[in-house]
Amino acid sequence: MALAGVSAANLAADLLALQRLVMNKGVDNGSSDDGEYKKPKSNISGKEGAKDVPSWAKGNKPRIGENGDKFARRLLDEKYGKGNYSTKSNTEYSKIAKWGNRAFE
């Protein structure tokens, strides 16, 4: 019976680790801020908050001390690889950068 208790404890620890991995998207970029994220601004319109972002980017938040440009580069580097995307106007990069600058405090 003791073995069953150990297995349950290991399962609980593994599930907690998996939850953390999913919440952090499993990315270790060497950042020392330990996942401190900006909070979304409340009561802002879609245009004011630049909420026209790619659906895959929703659910992400800029880290404290990270501006919109760094936020956009981090997300796009994770998705496409370092620098493998356009930074011109009306691209995923520009939409995410605006969203990061306008929709979070």
Side-chain angles (χ1 to χ4, degrees):
M1 289 297 166
L3 184 58
V6 171
S7 295
N10 287 341
L11 178 61
D14 289 345
L15 287 173
L16 183 60
L18 179 60
Q19 179 185 17
R20 288 182 181 145
L21 185 66
V22 168
M23 295 298 286
N24 292 326
K25 302 212 182 315
V27 176
D28 178 14
N29 65 358
S31 178
S32 62
D33 59 19
D34 296 329
E36 299 274 332
Y37 296 97
K38 292 181 178 180
K39 295 179 182 169
K41 290 181 181 176
S42 58
N43 301 322
I44 57 173
S45 68
K47 186 172 183 176
E48 183 182 16
K51 294 182 180 182
D52 181 26
V53 295
S55 60
W56 62 263
K58 292 182 180 178
N60 291 288
K61 299 177 189 175
R63 292 189 170 103
I64 293 175
E66 184 176 54
N67 65 23
D69 293 326
K70 288 182 181 179
F71 172 53
R73 287 185 191 281
R74 177 171 54 88
L75 293 184
L76 292 166
D77 285 347
E78 290 171 7
K79 183 167 179 69
Y80 299 116
K82 189 165 179 75
N84 292 327
Y85 47 86
S86 175
T87 58
K88 295 180 180 180
S89 63
N90 203 28
T91 60
E92 289 179 322
Y93 171 84
S94 67
K95 291 176 182 181
I96 295 169
K98 284 181 195 174
W99 179 52
N101 285 329
R102 296 179 185 181
F104 298 91
E105 54 187 359

